[in-house]
Amino acid sequence: MILTRTGYGSTNLIVTISYNGSTIVVTKPIDLGYPTPDIFTNVGSTATFGGCYQFNYLSQVPGTTYKWQLKKMPSGPTQTVSTAAFAELCFEALGSHRLTLSISNACVTNQVVYTKNINVVDDGGPIH
């Protein structure tokens, strides 16, 4: 038996076994995993105060919704910055931030597929 994945998420593997006139059906839930996200971004782990940066989820799957969220670490509020496959962030606060991307579709709800920690530093300009 060879199984070929044709999608992602969770499903059931159902096998019917017949032998000597008897038949049994065995069902086993399996997790097919999630595609490794292909993210384009023009920022590394450090960003400049007031700078704007792009994040684009290139591994788009039809029927999927997206939610980019930014949190000022360690205890700031979580802010949704985009509900599209693309997000642009302009940082207006110094310090550590965490960006996450969650996806939802027929198989998953709010599955976090991408996390990036970004430290926003002073650009040497006017006092912030």
Side-chain angles (χ1 to χ4, degrees):
M1 175 189 308
I2 297 174
L3 300 175
T4 303
R5 176 175 58 201
T6 60
Y8 296 95
S10 299
T11 192
N12 287 317
L13 174 62
I14 302 170
V15 178
T16 303
I17 302 169
S18 298
Y19 181 74
N20 275 349
S22 296
T23 300
I24 62 170
V25 176
V26 178
T27 302
K28 178 170 176 60
I30 58 173
D31 182 3
L32 301 172
Y34 305 96
T36 301
D38 185 10
I39 306 288
F40 164 81
T41 181
N42 62 344
V43 68
S45 60
T46 303
T48 302
F49 179 89
C52 296
Y53 304 93
Q54 291 80 39
F55 298 84
N56 193 357
Y57 185 74
L58 302 174
S59 315
Q60 296 178 40
V61 177
T64 299
T65 59
Y66 307 90
K67 183 170 25 174
W68 294 91
Q69 293 185 301
L70 186 66
K71 178 180 175 78
K72 175 83 167 78
M73 300 303 289
S75 59
T78 299
Q79 172 189 4
T80 298
V81 294
S82 178
T83 56
F86 176 84
E88 181 174 72
L89 301 176
C90 298
F91 290 101
E92 299 297 329
L94 295 172
S96 181
H97 297 75
R98 177 169 293 144
L99 178 68
T100 59
L101 170 63
S102 301
I103 62 171
S104 296
N105 56 36
C107 298
V108 299
T109 302
N110 288 326
Q111 175 72 39
V112 175
V113 296
Y114 178 76
T115 301
K116 184 169 187 75
N117 294 316
I118 302 167
N119 188 39
V120 178
V121 297
D122 195 336
D123 61 0
I127 297 175
H128 305 294

